[in-house]
């Protein structure tokens, strides 16, 4: 249960770092909420992610290097073709997010209103891409790079994947904007990411998927709701597509085991 105690440390650190990030962002936001496609909103969000996820990555690195006596790259960051894995995952993540929006629009769950200018979205896109890749990378290092292998050593694969997915979703309860549906989305994505990493034996691909997913959510939110967090219809479609991905990966794993 040592891993769970450290998870609680990370959970508490997330709370404290989030509070610290809010204090540091006060000179920018003056306590008000700004959309991510405004200068104040983008700056405050980037600062918050750097503080929170930078702090969490430092804690994980300290544990891996000093407590576990391993190199930091041992948490799924080694192996050939890292850039190729990341690029493939990023393309898959973007396609997934766009397909989810298309399904949501086709089903009548949401609508594209175009209330935010495309030029504005493109202006902030490079910042979002970098920040979201960093954020996703830290989360993948924690849950799929560090935690999942520890669980696999002690439990069956399905149990290990389920446990890390639940803990991944629980961490998302700390995000003020996250709805119950978004936390459920995180749970299903956690299961998919665990299976994907187990199959690819590297976290670079799922860092790309996760980073692209989070990046694409920002323009999706702006185009489909004009800024209100959600949109609910997109989450419905994304959960369905991610669940389909879990089913496909499970079927592939069983097929591969039978062929051995």
């Amino acid at each position: 249960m040592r891993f769970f105690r450290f998870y609680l440390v990370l959970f508490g650190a997330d709370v404290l770092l989030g509070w610290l990030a809010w204090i540091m962002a006060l000179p920018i936001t003056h306590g008000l909420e700004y959309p991510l496609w405004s200068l104040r909103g983008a700056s405050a969000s980037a600062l918050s992610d750097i503080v929170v996820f930078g702090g969490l990555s430092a804690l994980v690195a300290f544990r891996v290097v000093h407590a576990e006596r391993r190199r930091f790259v041992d948490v799924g960051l080694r192996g050939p073709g890292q850039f190729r894995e990341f690029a493939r995952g990023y393309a898959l993540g973007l396609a997934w997010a766009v397909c989810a929006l298309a399904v949501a629009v086709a089903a009548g769950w949401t609508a594209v209103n175009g209330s935010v200018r495309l030029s504005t979205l493109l202006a902030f896109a490079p910042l979002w891409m970098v920040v979201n890749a960093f954020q996703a990378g830290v989360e993948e290092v924690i849950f799929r790079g560090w935690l999942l292998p520890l669980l696999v050593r002690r439990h069956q694969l399905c149990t290990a994947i389920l446990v890390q997915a639940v803990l991944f979703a629980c961490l998302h309860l700390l995000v003020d904007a996250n709805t119950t549906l978004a936390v459920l989305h995180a749970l299903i994505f956690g299961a998919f990411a665990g299976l994907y990493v187990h199959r690819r034996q590297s976290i670079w691909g799922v860092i790309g998927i996760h980073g692209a997913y989070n990046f694409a959510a920002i323009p999706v939110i702006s185009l489909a709701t004009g800024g209100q967090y959600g949109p609910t219809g997109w989450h419905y479609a994304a959960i369905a597509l991610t669940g389909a991905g879990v089913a496909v990966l499970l079927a592939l794993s069983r097929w591969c085991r039978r062929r051995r």
Side-chain angles (χ1 to χ4, degrees):
M1 294 294 290
R2 292 180 180 177
F3 79 87
F4 188 68
R5 288 198 295 268
F6 184 64
Y7 172 80
L8 292 179
V9 170
L10 292 175
F11 197 93
D14 198 330
V15 175
L16 292 175
L17 289 168
W19 174 79
L20 176 62
W22 181 79
I23 294 297
M24 295 175 65
L26 276 179
I28 301 174
T29 64
H30 303 294
L32 303 175
E33 291 189 14
Y34 291 89
L36 291 174
W37 40 93
S38 67
L39 184 58
R40 289 181 182 271
S43 301
S45 178
L47 175 63
S48 176
D49 282 344
I50 291 170
V51 171
V52 172
F53 291 98
L56 294 178
S57 64
L59 284 173
V60 175
F62 181 84
R63 178 182 176 87
V64 170
V65 175
H66 293 282
E68 300 178 4
R69 303 297 180 186
R70 294 189 292 157
R71 293 180 300 172
F72 188 64
V73 293
D74 290 336
V75 290
L77 295 171
R78 289 193 300 175
Q82 297 166 354
F83 179 77
R84 184 171 62 251
E85 281 287 316
F86 177 83
R88 179 186 299 163
Y90 208 91
L92 177 59
L94 286 178
W96 215 305
V98 171
C99 285
L101 179 60
V103 169
V105 171
W109 296 335
T110 191
V112 175
N113 57 34
S115 60
V116 182
R117 291 181 180 178
L118 181 60
S119 59
T120 302
L121 296 178
L122 291 176
F124 287 103
L127 174 64
W128 294 333
M129 292 178 74
V130 173
V131 171
N132 282 306
F134 173 66
Q135 173 192 353
V138 173
E139 290 186 341
E140 292 308 322
V141 163
I142 294 172
F143 290 97
R144 265 66 73 174
W146 171 74
L147 179 58
L148 182 59
L150 292 180
L151 292 171
V152 169
R153 294 193 201 113
R154 296 168 173 79
H155 306 281
Q156 293 183 345
L157 177 62
C158 288
T159 302
I161 287 176
L162 178 61
V163 170
Q164 62 85 29
V166 169
L167 294 178
F168 175 68
C170 286
L171 199 68
H172 284 71
L173 292 170
L174 298 177
V175 181
D176 292 337
N178 270 0
T179 62
T180 302
L181 194 60
V183 174
L184 176 61
H185 188 177
L187 174 65
I188 303 299
F189 180 82
F192 168 82
L195 287 166
Y196 190 92
V197 167
H198 177 72
R199 181 165 180 79
R200 301 299 300 179
Q201 295 299 304
S202 168
I203 67 171
W204 283 105
V206 83
I207 289 175
I209 295 173
H210 193 165
Y213 222 62
N214 289 357
F215 161 68
I218 298 173
V220 163
I221 291 168
S222 67
L223 291 173
T225 66
Q228 182 182 0
Y229 190 85
T232 299
W234 181 73
H235 278 303
Y236 286 146
I239 288 172
L241 289 174
T242 309
V246 171
V248 168
L249 286 174
L250 283 174
L252 282 173
S253 298
R254 291 175 181 173
W255 180 75
C256 290
R257 282 199 301 269
R258 289 173 184 172
R259 293 208 36 159
R260 289 175 183 171

